[in-house]
Amino acid sequence: MEYANHLKEYAPAWSASQVDEEVARIRKAAEARNHNTEVYKFCYSAIDLTTLSCNDSVKSVTEFARKAAEFYQKYPHIPNVASICIYPSFVETVGLAVDGTPMKITSVGGGFPAAQTFLEVKALEVAMAVENGADEVDIVLNVGRMLTGEYDEAANEVEVIRTEMDDDVVLKVIIESGALKTPELIRKASLLSMLAGADFVKTSTGKIDVAATPEAAVVMCQAIRDYYDKTGRKVGFKAAGGVRTAEDAALYYTIVEEILGKEWLTTELFRIGASSAANNILSAIEGSEVKYF
Ligand SMILES: O=C[C@H](O)COP(=O)(O)O
């Protein structure tokens, strides 16, 4: 399909200075009203609790997922994380560990994190993750193609991969905003991903130096809003990569609240991908002495 043509139907991206001003405004709003237990509890429940390390093994991933599964029994007053996010070869392992809980299984796929492999390999990897039980799959948009202006080719990869998944499997497309850099490219990548079938757009793999930033989040959420206005389809936003503190989480929450509205503040439409924010968010929850992960 010719996706790039559809980009013309959308307004151009804001300039970097307009985005900076918007981030400053929203940062103040976050500090004024959203540094509180209610927001931190919701942010905790929106976490895709992530382990994506070369050290991962069946043993370590089982322990990681079991801790999350046991959390329900130990701390019923705190809503648990939304999903466990792992490499595709651990989908079955996590499935066994979280069986009987509402936690989802998120698999990265499609040659994560660089997406530099054959499209057939990407598609097969995603198909196998789904066959093994993944509820959600996080793939990376082809950044090289985006940087060289091959927009149709980048979006077509997403379309092909989407066909490997049943409609009820959630597809999150990582645009790697820190590599794209400009508001213009970040907006184009977000729109192309949505046009090609993404259920979520996600900031970063967490594997490059510049990962999630509030500036990228503002541009992505504006793209989600504009896509919704045109199509009526609600696409989610996932902040991932370098999200560390409860205040970081509250800022992304406030960006979504301000640009997309409260109806986006559900775990169906907002996630935080994080390997090390969980303890910090738990510690910020008033009265909680839980430090678990
Ligand atoms: O998708 C999740 C990211 O890989 C997590 O990044 P992080 O390790 O910087 O929290």
Side-chain angles (χ1 to χ4, degrees), residues 199-220:
D199 298 307
F200 269 79
V201 284
K202 169 175 166 183
T203 50
S204 175
T205 59
K207 302 296 182 194
I208 69 166
D209 288 344
V210 178
T213 64
E215 290 76 14
V218 161
V219 176
M220 293 168 72

Side-chain angles (χ1 to χ4, degrees), residues 50 52 85 112 202 204-206 238 240-244 273-276:
T50 302
L52 293 169
C85 177
F112 180 99
K202 169 175 166 183
S204 175
T205 59
K238 177 170 170 180
V243 181
R244 300 271 179 269
S275 61
S276 59

Side-chain angles (χ1 to χ4, degrees), residues 5 11 17-18 71 90 137 144 152 165 185 204 208 251 257 261 274:
N5 268 339
S17 59
Q18 283 176 306
F71 195 87
F90 297 112
V137 180
D152 282 336
M165 305 163 60
L185 262 189
S204 175
I208 69 166
L251 178 54
E257 185 183 39

